[in-house]
Amino acid sequence: MKIEIDGNPGTGNTFTEVHIGQVQNYNPAATTVVNNYYGEVVQADAEVTGKPSQVATNKTVPHIDTRPIHAEILRYVSKVRPLLVGEYKSSFQGLWVNILAIPEVDAEIYNPGKQQGTNFNRNLVANILHQLGEHGYFGQYNAAALARHLEGDSDHSVRTSLGTSPARVIFTKVEKLFEDAPTA
């Protein structure tokens, strides 16, 4: 798209030319113009693998060994074991191994985002614990009690995430585990 202006465009006005994939601003009275480009940064290996190796725009994901974080997640969720209903205690760790193997969970769980004091997406773990609570894993579900066991404080910020289910796509995949698993 090309914009043409006849006459004096005035001062303080901004004119935008839009191209597929970028936006540039033309500021006639500006002494400095900074163009920021937002979009996916696709690495050269994308042509080899067929998919870009990143999660967010302008940010490549480093290749990390997730095994220690995987073990850390399992230790974290095991803190709520005393709250489990008896018949679920023996299968709880195995269930979490299966949950962590879901590709959609795997894609998000190892990225803590802006969460502090954690190497994994603690909010996603809490959302999944909430979903398990809806299936009766904790009997009478109590987010404050789970937060106290997980973080030592019933008012910890994780309590908010213990009150909501995960995103629909993950929720559906975890539900499929319940359908495919033998009953406790």
Side-chain angles (χ1 to χ4, degrees):
M1 177 168 94
K2 186 88 170 159
I3 299 174
E4 293 185 28
I5 301 172
D6 291 328
N8 183 358
T11 57
N13 293 327
T14 300
F15 302 96
T16 302
E17 181 177 343
V18 178
H19 299 276
I20 296 175
Q22 73 182 32
V23 176
Q24 292 183 344
N25 292 320
Y26 295 99
N27 305 310
T31 56
T32 304
V33 175
V34 177
N35 285 318
N36 294 318
Y37 296 94
Y38 300 98
E40 291 188 2
V41 176
V42 180
Q43 295 180 344
D45 66 347
E47 292 179 9
V48 176
T49 63
K51 56 185 171 182
S53 60
Q54 69 171 35
V55 172
T57 59
N58 282 347
K59 197 176 200 182
T60 59
V61 174
H63 296 284
I64 59 170
D65 182 6
T66 58
R67 289 175 297 185
I69 301 170
H70 184 274
E72 186 178 343
I73 294 167
L74 292 176
R75 279 191 305 275
Y76 184 74
V77 298
S78 71
K79 293 178 181 180
V80 300
R81 196 168 188 279
L83 300 175
L84 291 168
V85 173
E87 68 256 22
Y88 294 116
K89 287 186 179 192
S90 63
S91 62
F92 189 68
Q93 288 295 99
L95 174 65
W96 269 97
V97 168
N98 291 336
I99 289 170
L100 295 174
I102 297 171
E104 291 81 359
V105 173
D106 183 75
E108 290 188 35
I109 200 84
Y110 300 107
N111 182 5
K114 294 182 180 182
Q115 298 172 53
Q116 296 178 1
T118 183
N119 294 318
F120 56 89
N121 188 333
R122 186 176 49 217
N123 292 336
L124 178 56
V125 170
N127 294 155
I128 294 170
L129 285 170
H130 176 265
Q131 184 176 0
L132 296 178
E134 290 178 340
H135 280 274
Y137 273 70
F138 302 103
Q140 184 70 20
Y141 185 79
N142 183 324
L146 264 72
R148 190 171 34 259
H149 276 79
L150 291 170
E151 298 293 339
D153 180 8
S154 61
D155 292 326
H156 190 276
S157 63
V158 78
R159 182 176 174 183
T160 302
S161 296
L162 287 164
T164 58
S165 293
R168 176 59 54 195
V169 79
I170 291 176
F171 182 90
T172 304
K173 295 292 184 170
V174 173
E175 287 294 311
K176 184 144 177 47
L177 282 180
F178 294 123
E179 293 171 10
D180 295 344
T183 56

